Structures are given as structure tokens and as C-alpha cells.
């Protein structure tokens, strides 16, 4: 039972950490759009039809390169 | 009308048109060239998955907006919106802009916009926020102009404009973030305190070493501290503010319960006596915050939708100065300046025409879609649209002095006089608060006299048990669910009182133009005539098809709204030497060979070319052009506009145009009546055409030729006789009465201005949404009542027990949370209606 004297304060520290991370996430705008983000991952951009792969992939590649710079 | 609906926007497809787009190998019907163009652009971009992903129909695109976009390329105009983003070395490298995007209906729209724009060269990043309809775009101005960027939105059916409400937006963003933080802290605190409370309650049953009990109490105190100080802060703030102005709102007992329970629990912890309520305090705070958060989200969503749409006037205009024509911001215009207004442009100021003959659509002022003929010397008003020829106008008034501004101030005035709706829950809250405070005082007095050492704890449990958690969740939970359900049906609620008033409304008032009709002319009837003059060789008449084809050929070059009725006719008969007389009609030459059947007399023909002169227009125009007798008007139906098609040898036939009724109009009115609402029609149109319309749709009360002021007076009279009004309108002329009604509904394709000032917006073009919205509002009202009754019943049962000192902290916590949960679950039932 004596271990509770250590374990509960440790859990409180974890709580405080979780809150700190949560505050950071909110402030960096991750919770600004609660309607869109939840569904965004359902619309993968890797499975566009072939048509776009012909015309769009080069542009996308170029963009990747420039953003890496 | 066919029962097919447009694959893109979901509106019914008119029977006379054949627009299709091949999507995923299947040919899908489209209702108009706009939807067709947008759907084609989406599919050509390889983005047809949009149709699979979307949860709601797209809005019908308006392709006419393209012309004004170039104005945004002017540096003076851009300065207001665009932000320079420096690169690593500090030099400006690219630009960033916040755009307000119209037409976003679901998360798939965000996907579509981001996918489409990211393919353009020059775009660095696009981020669309579905909640507040904003897009943040970073782009390279060297490669892409701002107007091209905005055009890219239009191509896929969204109307993007620089957002001009940055301050309000960032304020909302801050409030929202802070709220989520408070909610997070309260949620985590609730779970932690609850976990420890389970240990404490178990200890209370089984016996527990006081050392451990004390330790666990201290830990819960530490956990509850940020919840009370940070998360519950808004309640304390609001309670103090309300007490100062002498209002007893829900915040008062909430703050009292949280504050007292927390302080007493702290005292119990320090003094090692009594009971602690840290878990209940955290749970209260969380549930109450949740209710407030739901309210705030509804409010924010509507604010951000409405704001920024208020740009009625173009940002720039073309000024004629000694240096020639220059583009200048409208702000810089002064009286006596000369400006040129191109075809399709909105007139930015009041003024007098110096040069040019054209027709001007004054729908913004009068609601009348058909243009008014204007010639030099005539006055034009800000906000009206030049529709046929370029005009040169001498500015007489700008800004606040314009007629448009006068109407706007009428609106503001009507708004302040609007009846105030007190929400049911707030009315209950006042009595409830008083009752609780009296009972708590009575209980305190009784226990003080009998068992003073117990008094504080019993009073506390009375306050905790009666904490109006369920009561204050009852309304926002139901409102949030109902608002969401309505949005899915295409009905946006912008103000808090809408649902409540919709449920008790007993009068619905329509404005005819654009409300019950679509506002675009279509061919209603074609009547061939055989009255060619004496030298006619044959008595044959031309087929209806041929007549329409000739008319379409004549109208092909015109930009008058009437010509739109003919724009969808295939195989037009070619007409050359077209001459247009503004506001009257059009004439031109046609090859006789083009017209099937040999019906014309050879003598009247220009034999060299084999052509004959034809004309279409108002009967008076035709008789002034040709020396022919006027045939009898085929109809007395004032909703139809008769055009006469004739040659110099005699009349060929009548083409009757009519404004199309909105899909579902008659059906919607029947449903509204059976739901017990009185339906009336207040219109600025001619008396007899309003009468015809009313008769067709089964509306008994109607008034024609009404000015905005008269409409407002009429609405006020109805209100004074105890009616609650829902006003449906779309033009600026409707805005005063929209603002004065108990609840106003603007149509999705209404002017931006009407949309901003309306309490709710009907996005779907289908009037059937109205009875649905009324039904849902009534269901919401009964759910709210059930919730309130439940919350009060719970309090009635729990209160005597608490007053008798029979409710331990664990029972209070369970009772409180189950009653709150029940209220939320009950509200969720609205989703299934």
C-alpha cells in the first residue's frame, strides 16, 4: 500500500504532462476544425483515378521537391 | 417537370433540358450548364471520388460571378487582404490569404478543393476548414494571380472571396481554443477525481484507515483545483456579471453549487471532517461546459458563415479621367466623377447616366428580376446590375448617401425593434434559482436549530443534488442535435431563437419573386399564328419547334435575362444583321430556305439575298417595326410574359414566357397549411400576377404592389394581433421585413445581404425543406420540454431526500450524472426524425 505514496503523485505528473501536450495541440490549431479533420483521412489522396496520375503526379512530385528545400 | 434530380446539386432537372456528364462510366443528369461545367471540371481533374465521399449535395454554382474577379488583382484592393510571407532570409517570398468559401457542405468539399488547387502551379499550400468555411492559401504571386486563384475555386463550384472579418475570426478562434482547453481539463479532472472517489466510496463502505482517506482527499483536491479555477471560471464570471445587472440566470446556482461544494470539500479535507464532493464538482463542470460548448459552436458556425459575405458592391470601378480609363477602388470615388460600367457589372454608387442605353436589373432594390430600361439622364442606384450595354455614369452619391445605404439603415432599425425571445430554459431558470435558494435557506435554518454540526453538509448536499446540470444541458443538447439535423437537410440556423420560434410560429409569409419562383424565365407556351398578310401563298403555320428556333437565333446575341429562356434551345436558326432595341425587342435577317415550309410571299422578299426580316419582342415594338395588325393577346394570365414573333409579312406566333415555380412549392404550401400555419404572400409585383400565383399555389392571403415599408407595416400588424411570423424572402427589398419578422428565412441563392441578415438560410432550393424544418422544430420543442420535465422531476425527488440528510456524496454523484446523461441521450433522438 505504501507504494501509493509514490504511484499517485507519478500519475498526477503524467496528467499534468497530458494536459500540457493537449494545450500545445489546441494552440497549434489541431482542434480548429472538428468537422473536417475526422473525415479527412477517409479520403486518401493515393487512390486518385489513373487520369490524375498522368497529369497530376509530376506536379505533385515537383511540389514535394520544392518543399523539401 | 421530370422526377430526375441533378447529380451535382440535387435539384430537379427541367424536362426540356438534356445536360449530362459521364461520371465513373455512367451518364449522370445535370440540371443546368453551371452544374455540368463544374461536374466536368471535377471529373477531368480525376476527382470524381468527390461524389462518393460527399455527405450532402453540392450547391448550384453561379457562373456569372467570374467577371468581377479581376478587380482583386489591383494592389490597392489586395492590400486589405493579402499577407506577405518572408522566407528564411527575411525576404518576401510568397503570399498568404484567408478566403471565405461559399458552398462548402461537407468534409468532401474540403478534400475536393485541396486536391484541385494543389495541382495548380504556383500554389504552395491550401488548407480548408470545414467548420468555419475558410481556406488559407499560400501561393507564389509570380506564377499565379489572385483572380486566377479565385477562378480555380469557381471552376469546381465554390465561391471564394477574400475574408474581411479577420478580427472577428481570430477572436472566435481564440474563444474556441480556450473553451476546448477548459473542456479537456475538466474532462481529465472528472475522470481522475472519479477514479479516486471510487476508492473513497469503497472505503466508506468497507472501512478505511483515516490516513489513507485523508491522503486520497488531498489528491482529489489537487485534481479538482485546476478544474474549478480554470475550467469553471466562465461560470463564476457570468454569475457575477448577471448578479450585477440584477438577473438570476442559470449561472448563479451553478457557481454557487461549484463554489460552495469545492470550498466545503476543501474545509472537510483540511479539518478531516464531513464529506468531500471533488468528483461531483469536476463532473458538474464538465457537463455544464459541454452544454455551453455546444451552444458556442452553433453560434460560431453561423457567425463565420454570415460574416464576410457582406460585399454588395464591387471593390473597384473604372474611372474616366484625363489620363483615360483607370481602375480605381470604389472607396476613392467622389461626386461628379465619371465612371464606366461594363456589361454585367454591379453599379458601385448612385448616379446619372451620361452616355449609353441599357437595361439595369434592380432586383437588389425592388426584387424584380426583369431589368428596367435606362437612357441618358436616368438615375441608377448602387447595387443594381448593368445588363446590356456599357454605361457612362456621373457619380452623384457614394457610400452612406446611396439609396442602398438608406435601405440598410431601415434594416438596422427593424432589427432593434424585433420582439425579444426569451428561451424557455431561461424563463424556468429564474424561478428555479429562486426556489433552490429559498429551500436551501430553509433547510439551513431547520438543521441549524436541530443539529448545527450537520447543517453545512446537508445544505451542501441540497445544492449539489439540485445543481441544474440536467436543466442547463436540456436545451443546448437538443438545440445542437436539431441544428445539426437541420443542416443536413439544407437548412442553416443562424440565430439562437430560430428553433423555438419556428415551433410556435403560426404565420408564414412569402415574397413571390425568387421565393416561390426560380427567378428565371422559361418558355411556357408557343402559339403559332396563321395570320400572314393578304399576299400569303399558303395558310400553313410554322411548327412550334421552328418558331422557338427562330426566336433562339434572334436572342442568341442578347444578354437580357429574357434571352436566357432560349439559351438551351438546340439547332438555332441562324439570324444575321441583328439589331437590338433595348427593353423592347430584337430584329434580324433570316434565310428563307432555313425556314421549313414555303410560306412566305415572294414579293416581299429581298430576292438578292433570299432573306426576310424577322423580329421578336413586345407587341408594341413589333407593330412599330412592321406594318401589320396586332393579333389578339392569347392569354390574360398575368404571370406570363407574351412575346410576339413576326416577319414584315405578318405575325408568326406568340412565345409565352413564365417564371418557373420552385420545385415542391405547391406541395410545401399544402404541408404548411396542414401543419396549421397560415400562409400569405406579400409581393412587390403587379397585383394580378400575384393573384394568379396565389391561386395556383392555394394561398388565400395575398397582397401585391407592396413597398418594403408597407410589407414591414403589414408584418407588424400581424405581430400586434398576436401572430408569430416566419418570413421567407430573398431580395434586399425583403430585408427590412425579414429583420422585423419573428424568424426570417433567406433562400440559399438570395442576395448575400439578405442571407446575412436572415435568422436562417435555406440552402437547398427545395421549398419542401420548410415544412420539414417546422416539424423538426416542433419535435425539438417537445424534446426540450421532456428534458426540462425530467430534470425538474429528478430535482423534486432528490431534494426532500437531500434536505432530510439522506443522500451521501456517492448517491449525489450518480444521480447527477445519470440525469445529465438521460437528457443528452433523449436529445440524440432528434437525429432519427
Amino acid at each position: 500500500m505504501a507504494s501509493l505514496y509514490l504511484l499517485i503523485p507519478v500519475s498526477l505528473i503524467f496528467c499534468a504532462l497530458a494536459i500540457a501536450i493537449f494545450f500545445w495541440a489546441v494552440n497549434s490549431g489541431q482542434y480548429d476544425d472538428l468537422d473536417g479533420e475526422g473525415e479527412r483521412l477517409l479520403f486518401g489522396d493515393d487512390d486518385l483515378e489513373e487520369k490524375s496520375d498522368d497529369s497530376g503526379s509530376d506536379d505533385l512530385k515537383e511540389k514535394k521537391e520544392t518543399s523539401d528545400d | 417537370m421530370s422526377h430526375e434530380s441533378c447529380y451535382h446539386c440535387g435539384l430537379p432537372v427541367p424536362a426540356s433540358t438534356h445536360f449530362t456528364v459521364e461520371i465513373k462510366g455512367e451518364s449522370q443528369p445535370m440540371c443546368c450548364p453551371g452544374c455540368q461545367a463544374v461536374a466536368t471540371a471535377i471529373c477531368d481533374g480525376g476527382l470524381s471520388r468527390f461524389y462518393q465521399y460527399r455527405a450532402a449535395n453540392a450547391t448550384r454554382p453561379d457562373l456569372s460571378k467570374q467577371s468581377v474577379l479581376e478587380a482583386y488583382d489591383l494592389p490597392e484592393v489586395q492590400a486589405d487582404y493579402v499577407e506577405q510571407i518572408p522566407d528564411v532570409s527575411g525576404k518576401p517570398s510568397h503570399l498568404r490569404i484567408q478566403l471565405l468559401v461559399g458552398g462548402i457542405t461537407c468534409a468532401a468539399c474540403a478534400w475536393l478543393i485541396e486536391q484541385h488547387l494543389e495541382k495548380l502551379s504556383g500554389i504552395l499550400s491550401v488548407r480548408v476548414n470545414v467548420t468555419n468555411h475558410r481556406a488559407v492559401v499560400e501561393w507564389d504571386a509570380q506564377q499565379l494571380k489572385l483572380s486566377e486563384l479565385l477562378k480555380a475555386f469557381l471552376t469546381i463550384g465554390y465561391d471564394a472571396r477574400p475574408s474581411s472579418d479577420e478580427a472577428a475570426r481570430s477572436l472566435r478562434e481564440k474563444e474556441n481554443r480556450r473553451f476546448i482547453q477548459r473542456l479537456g481539463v475538466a474532462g481529465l479532472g472528472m475522470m481522475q477525481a472519479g477514479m479516486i472517489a471510487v476508492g473513497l466510496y469503497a472505503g466508506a463502505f468497507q472501512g478505511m484507515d483515516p490516513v489513507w482517506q485523508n491522503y486520497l482527499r488531498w489528491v482529489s483536491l489537487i485534481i479538482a483545483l485546476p478544474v474549478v479555477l480554470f475550467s469553471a471560471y466562465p461560470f463564476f464570471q457570468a454569475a457575477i456579471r448577471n448578479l450585477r445587472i440584477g438577473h438570476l440566470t442559470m449561472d448563479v446556482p451553478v457557481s454557487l453549487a461549484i463554489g460552495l461544494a469545492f470550498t466545503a470539500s476543501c474545509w472537510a479535507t483540511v479539518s478531516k471532517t464531513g464529506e468531500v464532493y471533488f468528483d461531483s464538482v469536476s463532473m458538474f463542470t464538465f457537463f455544464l461546459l459541454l452544454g455551453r460548448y455546444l451552444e458556442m459552436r452553433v453560434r460560431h458556425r453561423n457567425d463565420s458563415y454570415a460574416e464576410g459575405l457582406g460585399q454588395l458592391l464591387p471593390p473597384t470601378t473604372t474611372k474616366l479621367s484625363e489620363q483615360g480609363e483607370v481602375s480605381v477602388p470604389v472607396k476613392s470615388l467622389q461626386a461628379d466623377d465619371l465612371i464606366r460600367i461594363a456589361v454585367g457589372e454591379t453599379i458601385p454608387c448612385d448616379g446619372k447616366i451620361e452616355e449609353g442605353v441599357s437595361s439595369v436589373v434592380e432586383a437588389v432594390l425592388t426584387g424584380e428580376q426583369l431589368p428596367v430600361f435606362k437612357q441618358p439622364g436616368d438615375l441608377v442606384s448602387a447595387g443594381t446590375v448593368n445588363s446590356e450595354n456599357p454605361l457612362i455614369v456621373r457619380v452623384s452619391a457614394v457610400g452612406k448617401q446611396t439609396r442602398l445605404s438608406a435601405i440598410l439603415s431601415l434594416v438596422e432599425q427593424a432589427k432593434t425593434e424585433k420582439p425579444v425571445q426569451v428561451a424557455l430554459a431561461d424563463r424556468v431558470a429564474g424561478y428555479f434559482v429562486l426556489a433552490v435558494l429559498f429551500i436551501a435557506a430553509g433547510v439551513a435554518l431547520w438543521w441549524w436549530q436541530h443539529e448545527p454540526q450537520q447543517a453545512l453538509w446537508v445544505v451542501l448536499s441540497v445544492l449539489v443534488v439540485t445543481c441544474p446540470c440536467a436543466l442547463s444541458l436540456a436545451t443546448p443538447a437538443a438545440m445542437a442535435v436539431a441544428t445539426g439535423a437541420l443542416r443536413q437537410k439544407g437548412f442553416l440556423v443562424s440565430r439562437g431563437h430560430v428553433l423555438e420560434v419556428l415551433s410556435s410560429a403560426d404565420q408564414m409569409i412569402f415574397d413571390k419573386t425568387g421565393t416561390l419562383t426560380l427567378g428565371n424565365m422559361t418558355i411556357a407556351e408557343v402559339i403559332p399564328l396563321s395570320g400572314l398578310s393578304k399576299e400569303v401563298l399558303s395558310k400553313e403555320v410554322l411548327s412550334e419547334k421552328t418558331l422557338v428556333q427562330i426566336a433562339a437565333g434572334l436572342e442568341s446575341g442578347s444578354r437580357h435575362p429574357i434571352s436566357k429562356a432560349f439559351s438551351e434551345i438546340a439547332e438555332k436558326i441562324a439570324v444575321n444583321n441583328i439589331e437590338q432595341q433595348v427593353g423592347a425587342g430584337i430584329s434580324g435577317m433570316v434565310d428563307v430556305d432555313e425556314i421549313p415550309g414555303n410560306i412566305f410571299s415572294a414579293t416581299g422578299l429581298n430576292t438578292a439575298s433570299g432573306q426576310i426580316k424577322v423580329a421578336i419582342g413586345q407587341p408594341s415594338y413589333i407593330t412599330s417595326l412592321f406594318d401589320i395588325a396586332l393579333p389578339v393577346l392569347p392569354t390574360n394570365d398575368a404571370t406570363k410574359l407574351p412575346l410576339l414573333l413576326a416577319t414584315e409579312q405578318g405575325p408568326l406566333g406568340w412565345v409565352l414566357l413564365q417564371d418557373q415555380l420552385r420545385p415542391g412549392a405547391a406541395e410545401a404550401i399544402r404541408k404548411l397549411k396542414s401543419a396549421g400555419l397560415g400562409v400569405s404572400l406579400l409581393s412587390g409585383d403587379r397585383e394580378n400576377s400575384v393573384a394568379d400565383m396565389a391561386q395556383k399555389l392555394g394561398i388565400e392571403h395575398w397582397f401585391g404592389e407592396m413597398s418594403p415599408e408597407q410589407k414591414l407595416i403589414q408584418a407588424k400588424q400581424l405581430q400586434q394581433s398576436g401572430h408569430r411570423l416566419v418570413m421567407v424572402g430573398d431580395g434586399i427589398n425583403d430585408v427590412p421585413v425579414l429583420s422585423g419578422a419573428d424568424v426570417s428565412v433567406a433562400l440559399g441563392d438570395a442576395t448575400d445581404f439578405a442571407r446575412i441578415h436572415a435568422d436562417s438560410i435555406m440552402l437547398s432550393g427545395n421549398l419542401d425543406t420548410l415544412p420539414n424544418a417546422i416539424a423538426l422544430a416542433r419535435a425539438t420543442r417537445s424534446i426540450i420540454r421532456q428534458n426540462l420535465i425530467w430534470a425538474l422531476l429528478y430535482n423534486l425527488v432528490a431534494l426532500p431526500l437531500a434536505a432530510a440528510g439522506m443522500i451521501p456524496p456517492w448517491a449525489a454523484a450518480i444521480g447527477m450524472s445519470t440525469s445529465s446523461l438521460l437528457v443528452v441521450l433523449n436529445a440524440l433522438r432528434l437525429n432519427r426524425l
Side-chain angles (χ1 to χ4, degrees), chain B residues 478-480 482-483 486 493 495-504 743 773 776-778 780-781:
Chain B
M479 289 287 211
T483 315
L486 279 175
V493 173
R495 310 266 199 279
H497 68 278
V498 170
L499 280 168
E500 189 160 350
V501 181
L502 268 188
S503 66
S504 60
V743 161
L776 195 77
R778 289 183 177 176
T780 309
R781 181 178 55 176

Side-chain angles (χ1 to χ4, degrees), chain B residues 374-513:
Chain B
K374 297 278 183 184
Q375 58 190 12
D378 285 349
L379 300 175
V380 290
S381 300
T384 56
V385 180
N386 180 16
S387 70
E388 270 179 282
N389 293 313
L391 287 174
I392 292 177
V393 170
R394 187 170 293 282
V395 178
S396 63
V398 285
K400 293 252 181 285
Q401 277 79 49
T402 56
R403 272 180 70 196
L404 189 63
S405 262
I407 295 187
L408 304 198
S409 52
L410 190 61
V411 171
E412 291 307 319
Q413 192 194 337
K415 247 187 186 171
T416 54
E417 292 164 8
K418 190 167 184 146
V420 183
Q421 306 293 339
V422 184
L424 183 59
D426 283 344
R427 265 173 290 165
V428 175
Y431 298 114
F432 181 81
V433 172
L434 274 180
V436 166
L437 292 181
F438 272 117
I439 291 170
V443 169
L445 199 70
W446 193 88
W447 281 87
W448 187 253
Q449 284 163 354
H450 295 83
E451 265 182 86
Q453 71 276 25
Q454 280 295 315
L456 175 65
W457 306 112
V458 171
V459 170
L460 202 58
S461 77
V462 167
L463 280 178
V464 169
V465 160
T466 57
C467 176
C469 242
L471 203 58
S472 62
L473 268 179
T475 313
M479 289 287 211
V481 176
T483 315
L486 279 175
R487 197 173 52 244
Q488 295 221 319
K489 292 191 163 110
F491 192 91
L492 276 185
V493 173
S494 331
R495 310 266 199 279
H497 68 278
V498 170
L499 280 168
E500 189 160 350
V501 181
L502 268 188
S503 66
S504 60
D506 55 4
Q507 278 287 332
M508 187 163 281
I509 304 178
F510 287 97
D511 170 348
K512 186 206 116 181
T513 324

Side-chain angles (χ1 to χ4, degrees), chain A residues 52-69:
Chain A
S52 71
D53 283 344
D54 299 339
S55 61
S57 63
D58 288 351
D59 286 349
L60 288 176
K61 245 180 239 153
E62 268 174 38
K63 197 160 290 159
K64 281 249 169 61
E65 278 158 22
T66 49
S67 62
D68 284 344
D69 298 341

Side-chain angles (χ1 to χ4, degrees), chain A residues 1 4-5 8-9 15 22-23 26-27 29 32-37 40 43 45 47 49 59 63, chain B residues 46 48-49 53 111 114-115 118-119 123 127-131 177 180-181 192 212 215 293 297 301:
Chain A
M1 284 293 269
L4 282 183
Y5 281 118
I8 290 182
C15 270
F22 177 65
F23 272 37
V26 171
N27 284 332
D32 285 355
D33 182 9
L34 293 176
D35 296 323
E37 303 297 343
R40 197 184 285 275
F43 319 139
D45 48 11
D47 57 0
E49 295 99 289
D59 286 349
K63 197 160 290 159
Chain B
S48 56
R49 268 166 193 274
Y53 293 154
W111 176 84
E114 287 173 8
Q115 296 292 332
E118 275 171 2
K119 281 190 206 147
I123 301 267
R127 199 73 186 162
V128 180
N129 185 325
V130 183
T131 311
R177 287 180 177 178
I180 290 177
Q181 287 173 342
Q192 297 297 316
W212 285 111
Y215 176 57
Y293 180 65
R297 259 171 68 92
R301 190 196 302 279

Side-chain angles (χ1 to χ4, degrees), chain B residues 797-832:
Chain B
V797 173
L799 199 123
L801 292 175
M806 284 163 66
I807 295 204
W810 59 269
I814 291 175
M816 196 269 304
S817 51
T818 37
S819 70
S820 302
L821 269 181
L822 261 171
V823 161
V824 173
L825 290 177
N826 192 27
L828 283 176
R829 291 197 303 140
L830 281 172
N831 255 336
R832 288 189 279 141

